Amino acid sequence: MKARIVVILCVLFVLVPYGAKAQNNGNFYFNEVQVQRTDFNPAFVNPYNLTVGIPGISGLNIRLDNNFFSWNALVVRGADDSLRIDVPRLVGKANRRSRIAFNLDEEIIRVGWRKNRNNYVIGLSVHADMQLILGKETLSFLLQGPGAHIGKNHLPGNRFDFNSYAYLYFGYSRLINKNFTVGGRFKLLHGFYNFHTQNLTFDFNILNEDMSNPDLVPYEYELRMNGSFRTNLPLIHSRDKGYELGSIAFEPFRNMGAALDLGVNYHFEPGFDLSVSVLDLGFIVWGDSYAAEYKGAKTTKDFRGIDINRLRDENTSAVDIVKDMLFEIWDTLGPRRNDSIGGGYTRMLPVSLNVGLSYTLLDMHRFGLLLHGQFYNKYFIPELGVSYTIMPCKNFAMSVSNTFTSGNILNLGLSFAVNAGPVQFHLGVDRINSFNVSKMRTASVTFGINLVFGKGKYDWYTGSADEEEGE
C-alpha cells in the first residue's frame, strides 16, 4: 500500500500543472533591503551590522511551474456546464519534452554580521526539489490510453528526479576595493531521500490486434524499461508481491555531501552593476543501507487499461482509474536491484547560474536584467527577468518584474520589504497576472521575517559609518 501511495504522488505531479525552479522570487535579486537576496549571489552584502532570521519563519521559498499546459488546456466546460478532459487539445499543446518541476527551501535559522569590509553569515535550511520530464510520445500514450496505440510503441526521453536534504552553510564576502566584491558559501549537506533516473525508454507492445471489441479486454502487452533508477527509498522485495515500500527509516550521517556557491559583483560608474554567481556546485553521497540501483525486466501480463464504462460511472473518480492502471504498470515493470555497483552512489546537485545587470538612478530607482539558468540531469532551463525596484527610503523597497520562460512569456511579479524597527518583513509573489487561475502555469511565493540591526550609511572600503542602531 505504501508503495502505491508513492506511485500516486508521482502521478499527481504529472496531472497537476505545476513544477519548480531552484530559486527565489527573481525580483528580490536587486532589492538591497531584503536579506535573502544573498541566496542568489553570496557576493551581495547586507546593509546591516547584524541580521538574525527568526527560526522557522525567516524565509520560505516555493517555486512551481511547467512548460506545456495550464488548467484550461486540460479541462474544458461543455454547453451543459459539464467538465471533461480534452486530451487531443492537451497533447497538441505539449512540447517535445514536457517538464514539470518543484522547488522548496525553508530557512530554519540564519545569523549574519559584518566587520569592516568583511561580511559573514551562518545558517541552517532544508531543501526539496523535483523534476519530471516526459517525452511527447510518453505523454500521448499516458493521456490517450493503450487502446489508441495498438502494436509496438517506443517511448523515449523520460526522467524523474527528487532530492531532499538539510544543509548547514557558512558564507563570507569581502569588498576587495570600492568597486569589486567577491563572496562564497560552503554548504554541508545531509541527505534524507532521493530518486533519480537516467534517460528512461519504455517499449510497450500491445499484443491484441483489435481493441474495438470489449470482449478482448483484458488484453496482453509486453513492457520493457531500458535504463535504470537509483533511490534510497526502502524498497523491500518479496517473491509474491515484488518490490514494495517498507517503513520509512532514517539513518543519520549516512548520506553526506558538500556544495559551494561562488559569486562576484562589480560596480561601474556612474550607476551600473554586474553580478555573476554559480550555485550548488556539489554532490551527495547516498550511502545508507537502502541506497541502490534498479533496472527493469521484460514481462508479459494481462492488463485492463482504462475502462470506459468506469469513466462513465459517477461513483468512480478518474484518480481511482489512473491509480489502478499505474499499480498494474508498476507490478509489470518488476524492477531488479543491481548489486554490481556495491550499494551506495553519488549524485551531483542541480547547478544554477545567475547573471545580473542593473542601473541605479538617484540612489532610489534600480532597473535590472537577470538571466537565470539551471542544469538538471542533462536538462537546461533558462529564463530572463526584467525588474524595476524603488527604494524611496532606507526602510522600504518594492519591486515589480516580468520573467520570460519557455512557453510562458508573461509572468508578472511583485515584492516588497519593510523595516519596522528591528523587524523586517518581506513578501514576494509571482504570476500575479493570472487572476484567471485556469490559465496559470507558474506560481512562486517567498516570504519571511528577519531581525535587522545597524542599517545606515556605510563606507565598506574605509570602514566608516553613520549608523542608526535598530533600524
Side-chain angles (χ1 to χ4, degrees):
M1 178 58 68
K2 292 181 180 179
R4 295 188 172 189
I5 293 175
V6 172
V7 174
I8 294 171
L9 291 176
C10 295
V11 175
L12 287 178
F13 281 125
V14 180
L15 297 179
V16 177
Y18 292 114
K21 296 190 176 134
Q23 68 168 73
N24 297 340
N25 195 295
N27 48 27
F28 276 145
Y29 192 87
F30 304 107
N31 186 339
E32 287 188 354
V33 185
Q34 205 265 0
V35 173
Q36 275 75 12
R37 73 191 294 251
T38 56
D39 292 342
F40 287 97
N41 189 340
F44 289 152
V45 293
N46 297 318
Y48 311 99
N49 277 344
L50 176 66
T51 64
V52 179
I54 299 177
I57 57 175
S58 61
L60 175 64
N61 305 302
I62 303 174
R63 180 64 184 257
L64 308 142
D65 67 5
N66 77 88
N67 69 343
F68 72 104
F69 71 87
S70 56
W71 283 111
N72 62 347
L74 178 64
V75 179
V76 296
R77 185 179 297 275
D80 57 351
D81 284 340
S82 62
L83 298 178
R84 63 184 178 85
I85 298 177
D86 192 341
V87 172
R89 180 184 180 191
L90 180 58
V91 172
K93 287 179 174 289
N95 298 324
R96 179 60 185 168
R97 292 286 184 271
S98 297
R99 179 181 187 265
I100 301 174
F102 164 84
N103 189 89
L104 181 146
D105 277 283
E106 167 61 20
E107 189 172 88
I108 305 301
I109 190 171
R110 168 199 294 249
V111 178
W113 67 97
R114 70 185 187 190
K115 183 177 182 181
N116 297 327
R117 289 184 282 164
N118 303 305
N119 189 73
Y120 307 89
V121 61
I122 61 174
L124 175 66
S125 296
V126 292
H127 170 91
D129 63 70
M130 183 280 298
Q131 172 182 257
L132 172 66
I133 296 177
L134 296 176
K136 190 164 187 175
E137 299 87 352
T138 305
L139 185 65
S140 300
F141 186 88
L142 291 174
L143 294 174
Q144 294 175 345
H149 298 265
I150 298 297
K152 295 182 179 180
N153 298 271
H154 186 66
L155 313 176
N158 309 288
R159 298 172 217 154
F160 179 74
D161 301 276
F162 173 74
N163 283 307
S164 61
Y165 55 86
Y167 59 98
L168 177 67
Y169 61 90
F170 309 87
Y172 171 73
S173 60
R174 178 176 175 82
L175 187 68
I176 304 301
N177 56 45
K178 291 184 177 181
N179 298 320
F180 186 49
T181 307
V182 299
R185 183 166 47 233
F186 174 76
K187 301 176 182 177
L188 182 64
L189 282 58
H190 190 295
F192 297 137
Y193 300 101
N194 83 117
F195 189 102
H196 291 285
T197 72
Q198 303 297 328
N199 283 329
L200 294 182
T201 298
F202 297 96
D203 292 310
F204 198 101
N205 183 15
I206 299 177
L207 303 179
N208 300 69
E209 298 180 355
D210 182 14
M211 291 296 294
S212 61
N213 186 349
D215 294 335
L216 293 178
V217 180
Y219 57 92
E220 288 189 330
Y221 68 88
E222 293 178 341
L223 177 62
R224 178 188 294 271
M225 180 180 74
N226 296 316
S228 63
F229 65 85
R230 294 179 173 183
T231 183
N232 73 324
L233 291 173
L235 298 180
I236 300 175
H237 183 266
S238 66
R239 178 171 298 180
D240 298 331
K241 299 181 179 180
Y243 281 98
E244 290 191 328
L245 187 64
S247 300
I248 299 295
F250 178 67
E251 300 181 11
F253 307 110
R254 295 294 299 274
N255 305 315
M256 301 300 295
L260 188 64
D261 300 340
L262 300 173
V264 297
N265 186 76
Y266 194 88
H267 176 72
F268 299 88
E269 298 297 341
F272 286 97
D273 284 89
L274 175 65
S275 60
V276 179
S277 63
V278 180
L279 309 179
D280 291 326
L281 292 168
F283 61 92
I284 297 180
V285 178
W286 298 93
D288 63 34
S289 58
Y290 289 102
E293 181 182 56
Y294 295 83
K295 294 184 177 181
K298 181 179 179 181
T299 60
T300 299
K301 188 174 182 180
D302 289 341
F303 177 62
R304 290 187 174 275
I306 297 178
D307 189 338
I308 301 299
N309 293 325
R310 292 191 67 196
L311 279 176
R312 295 171 179 171
D313 186 355
E314 296 181 353
N315 297 322
T316 303
S317 68
V319 174
D320 291 334
I321 296 172
V322 173
K323 178 185 67 174
D324 293 341
M325 180 184 69
L326 287 172
F327 290 164
E328 295 188 48
I329 293 177
W330 175 262
D331 293 339
T332 304
L333 283 175
R336 297 291 183 265
R337 178 165 176 157
N338 178 17
D339 292 322
S340 62
I341 64 173
Y345 50 86
T346 300
R347 289 292 306 184
M348 304 302 294
L349 300 181
V351 178
S352 297
L353 171 68
N354 295 304
V355 180
L357 178 65
S358 66
Y359 174 72
T360 304
L361 179 65
L362 301 177
D363 291 330
M364 63 181 293
H365 304 282
R366 178 167 294 167
F367 305 89
L369 181 68
L370 174 63
L371 173 64
H372 171 81
Q374 186 186 50
F375 300 88
Y376 200 158
N377 194 358
K378 302 180 181 179
Y379 195 90
F380 178 63
I381 312 99
E383 62 182 30
L384 180 67
V386 294
S387 68
Y388 165 67
T389 303
I390 183 170
M391 295 175 284
C393 63
K394 61 185 179 182
N395 293 329
F396 177 78
M398 183 179 71
S399 299
V400 293
S401 67
N402 185 68
T403 304
F404 303 90
T405 62
S406 175
N408 190 20
I409 62 174
L410 186 62
N411 187 26
L412 299 178
L414 174 66
S415 67
F416 67 89
V418 178
N419 288 348
V423 180
Q424 181 195 71
F425 302 90
H426 66 275
L427 172 66
V429 294
D430 217 344
R431 195 61 184 178
I432 60 176
N433 53 299
S434 290
F435 296 111
N436 183 350
V437 179
S438 67
K439 295 182 179 180
M440 184 180 292
R441 292 190 184 197
T442 302
S444 178
V445 176
T446 177
F447 67 89
I449 301 175
N450 304 295
L451 300 177
V452 295
F453 303 91
K455 183 177 184 297
K457 296 180 180 178
Y458 190 87
D459 189 331
W460 279 80
Y461 189 68
T462 63
S464 63
D466 180 15
E467 303 293 351
E468 297 182 22
E469 296 297 331
E471 298 278 321

